[in-house]
Every structure is written in C-alpha cells, then in structure tokens.
C-alpha cells in the first residue's frame, strides 16, 4: 500500500467546506492507502495567535477529525513530534531563498497582515512555512498528498526539496511526493457566494460542521441566491453552491429532480433550500453523536492520540537518524 499524508491547521472550527473539500476525502482514502494525518499546530504559530487558544484548538481539531471518521491510529499532533522541526532545519539548508520568496501563500498572508496594520509583524516562521510542510511530507515518505489546488505550489516545493536533497547527497533517499487532486467541491460562502467559504471572512460566511441543526437550517434559509450579477441564462453562484452541497451530501435523486425543475423554470428556491438543509442535518447528525461520545471520555481520547503521536515519533526519529547520517551530523549511540 502506498503512503498518503495530509495535514490541517487547528483553526478552531471546522466548516462544511473543510469537510467536503478535504476531511471526507481523508476518511475515504483510509481504505486504500496507508494514511498519516496531522494536526499541524507548529504551522499555526506563523500567524498571530493566543497561546491558550492554540492548545485548545489543537485538541478540538483532533476531536472533530475523529468524529468525522479519521482513525485514531492514523492521526498525530505535529508538535508532539519535534523531529519535524529538526528535519525542517536540515531542509532549510537545501531550500533556496529565491524559491521561497515566490510562494503565493506567503505573499497573500503578508498582504493580509498588512491590510489590518501597515506595520504588521511578519515572522520568519511564516516565510519558512512551506519548508516545515515539506518536512511533514518527506518525514513519512509520503507518495501522495491529498491537497486543494491552493497547495499545489507548496507540493511542488516539497518535490524540489526532495530532488535537490537526493542529488546533493548522491542518494535516492526521499520519495518524490505527488499531489492527489481528488475531485472535491469548492464550497462558497452562503452570505457572499462570490467568495470561498472561509472562517476568516466571519461567522455568517461559514457553516460549522458541528452546528446545531436549527442554526444550519437558518443559515441555509438565509443563503444568498441572487447577487444580481449573473448573466442571463446562467445559474447564479449562490444557487449552484446549494446544488453543489446537495451533491456533496450524496443526494443524487434529489439533485436530479431539483435540477430538472431548474431547467424547466419551476424551481422554488424555498424547496431547494429545504432539501439542502435537511441533507446537511442528516449528514451531520451521526457526526455530532460521535463527537458527543468522544467528549464523554476526553481523557481516554487524548491519551489515544498521545500514544499514536508517540508511534509516529518513532518513525520520525528513524528518518531523522538516517538524514543525520546522510548530511554529516553525528548520531547518539
Ligand atoms: P484551510 O482551513 O483554509 O487551510 O483549509 C483546510 C482544508 O480544507 C484544505 O484542504 C482546503 O482545501 C479545504 N477547504 C477550505 N475551505 C474550503 C472550501 N470553501 N471549499 C472546499 N474546500 C475547502
Ligand atoms: N499548508 C496546508 C494547508 O494550509 C497544511 C499542511 C501543513 C499540510 N503540512 C502539510 C498539507 C503537509 C499537506 C501535507 O492546508
């Protein structure tokens, strides 16, 4: 079985965009690959954050992922494996400065910081973010990395780093990781369907995966359907987003029936919205039940993830030991 690795930052909440765009796919991949998934808390230190919140959000994300069906033995917390930082240092010395200055995520995030404050502090950590990501991937010899298109450039950097390392030290040591672009939907903000659903836009722009059913119904009911800028004869972004969600929920029959109505001009937005809301509630209810079960014994769940992280740490230590040999550093006995 080939190795798959992916990771997500502990952002506090998980929204249906994250679920349909990433996590659902992670869960499915567990059947066919040897999967390793990380909650990357070191990465979350690259933008302004609060220390007590980071730890809380890290555990929150662990619980959410488990509730969604990620297997505990496949999950680790990045900072419990400090070898990621050590490998990052070694890779820093084969990554080129020029290459990192071209990373669009770095430019976007720098701009985002400067938007709120023109003298904003931009850390070396933010600049180095993609090298730490390369360390996550190369550490476990991942063949495939399921990511969204926005991460394509970082993946290419990881490949370049692996290639340069192998060339420089004359040994085919690191696997060249390939992106795994599974067709996952891009979910838009219900309040502004011209933008991608995202937590950073504010509360009304994302639907929390673990929200109360009533809140979900309310949010879908007030979803924007017409923004007034849709060319005649085309489906508006808001309506197409609602169709997308029905499809993502696996409701093919309802999707086909409503699409038929749309095509012959008899579609009522109220019934479209009702179908979307009920499909989401149906999907989310068992996930909420699972989350409640996990929360009932928090200590045991945390211990399980500490154990799985310790198991992954053994693999990481092995990699780092081999890397130290290759690059000319001494090892302990
Ligand atoms: P983020 O929290 O934005 O870093 O995203 C974490 C994961 O969720 C990434 O794999 C993204 O591609 C995915 N994701 C985030 N927002 C959306 C969205 N609106 N639609 C689909 N996938 C998304
Ligand atoms: N940068 C990724 C994101 O924003 C998160 C990430 C960190 C990651 N390390 C990774 C993704 C390793 C895949 C593999 O979504």
């Amino acid at each position: 079985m080939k190795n798959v690795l992916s990771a997500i930052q502990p952002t506090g909440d998980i929204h249906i965009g994250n679920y349909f765009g990433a996590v659902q796919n992670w869960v499915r991949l567990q059947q066919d690959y040897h999967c390793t998934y990380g909650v990357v808390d070191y990465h979350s230190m690259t933008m302004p954050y609060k220390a007590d919140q980071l730890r809380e959000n890290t555990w929150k994300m662990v619980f959410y992922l488990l509730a969604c069906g990620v297997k505990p033995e496949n999950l680790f917390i990045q900072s419990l494996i400090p070898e990621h930082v050590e490998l990052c240092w070694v890779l820093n010395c084969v990554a080129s400065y020029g290459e990192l200055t071209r990373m669009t995520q770095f430019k976007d995030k720098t701009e985002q910081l400067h938007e709120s404050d023109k003298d904003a502090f931009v850390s070396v950590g933010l600049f180095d973010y993609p090298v730490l990501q390369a360390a996550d991937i190369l550490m476990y010899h991942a063949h495939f990395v399921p990511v969204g298109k926005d991460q394509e450039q970082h993946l290419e950097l990881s490949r370049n780093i692996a290639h340069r390392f192998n060339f420089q030290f004359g040994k085919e040591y690191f696997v060249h990781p390939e992106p795994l672009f599974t067709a996952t939907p891009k979910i838009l903000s219900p309040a502004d369907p011209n933008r991608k659903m995202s937590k950073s836009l504010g509360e009304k722009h994302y639907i929390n995966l673990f929200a109360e059913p009533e809140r979900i119904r309310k949010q879908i009911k007030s979803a924007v359907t017409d923004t007034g800028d849709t060319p005649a004869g085309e489906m508006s972004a808001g309506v197409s987003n609602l169709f997308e969600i029905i499809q993502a929920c696996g409701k093919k029959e309802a999707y086909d029936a409503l699409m038929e109505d749309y095509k012959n001009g008899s579609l009522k937005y109220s019934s479209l919205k009702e179908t979307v809301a009920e499909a989401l509630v149906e999907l989310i209810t068992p996930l909420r039940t699972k989350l409640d079960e996990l929360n009932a014994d928090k200590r045991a769940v945390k211990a399980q993830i500490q154990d799985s992280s310790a198991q992954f740490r053994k693999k990481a230590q092995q990699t780092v030991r081999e890397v130290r040999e290759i690059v000319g550093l001494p090892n302990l006995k």
Side-chain angles (χ1 to χ4, degrees), residues 150 186-189 192-198 201 205:
D150 61 323
K186 184 169 125 188
I187 308 295
L188 308 172
S189 154
D192 179 359
N194 290 318
R195 301 163 87 172
K196 196 174 113 164
M197 178 173 289
S198 161
L201 295 175
H205 292 281

Side-chain angles (χ1 to χ4, degrees), residues 115-219:
E115 257 171 31
S116 47
D117 171 10
K118 71 174 174 38
D119 301 317
F121 172 79
V122 178
S123 73
V124 174
L126 185 62
F127 185 67
D128 204 28
Y129 178 115
V131 184
L132 182 58
Q133 181 166 349
D136 298 340
I137 296 168
L138 302 182
M139 182 73 89
Y140 305 101
H141 311 291
H143 301 100
F144 297 112
V145 184
V147 283
K149 282 273 172 198
D150 61 323
Q151 293 296 312
E152 197 170 6
Q153 201 186 23
H154 286 170
L155 237 305
E156 197 172 323
L157 179 84
S158 298
R159 291 169 62 81
N160 286 346
I161 288 177
H163 183 75
R164 204 172 300 128
F165 180 98
N166 293 350
F167 180 77
Q168 193 164 319
F169 296 102
K171 191 174 162 75
E172 265 306 300
Y173 180 70
F174 283 126
V175 170
H176 296 211
E178 298 278 352
L180 195 66
F181 299 124
T182 314
T184 52
K186 184 169 125 188
I187 308 295
L188 308 172
S189 154
D192 179 359
N194 290 318
R195 301 163 87 172
K196 196 174 113 164
M197 178 173 289
S198 161
K199 225 194 124 185
S200 57
L201 295 175
E203 277 206 345
K204 58 183 200 306
H205 292 281
Y206 69 95
I207 298 172
N208 187 339
L209 183 62
F210 291 95
E212 297 282 340
E214 268 326 294
R215 162 122 184 114
I216 293 180
R217 291 193 179 100
K218 222 169 127 191
Q219 270 189 299

Side-chain angles (χ1 to χ4, degrees), residues 238-258:
V239 173
S240 132
N241 193 39
L242 293 173
F243 272 106
E244 188 88 85
I245 296 174
I246 298 182
Q247 195 166 37
C249 289
K251 296 279 172 202
K252 191 168 177 335
E253 273 175 34
Y255 177 95
D256 290 344
L258 289 160

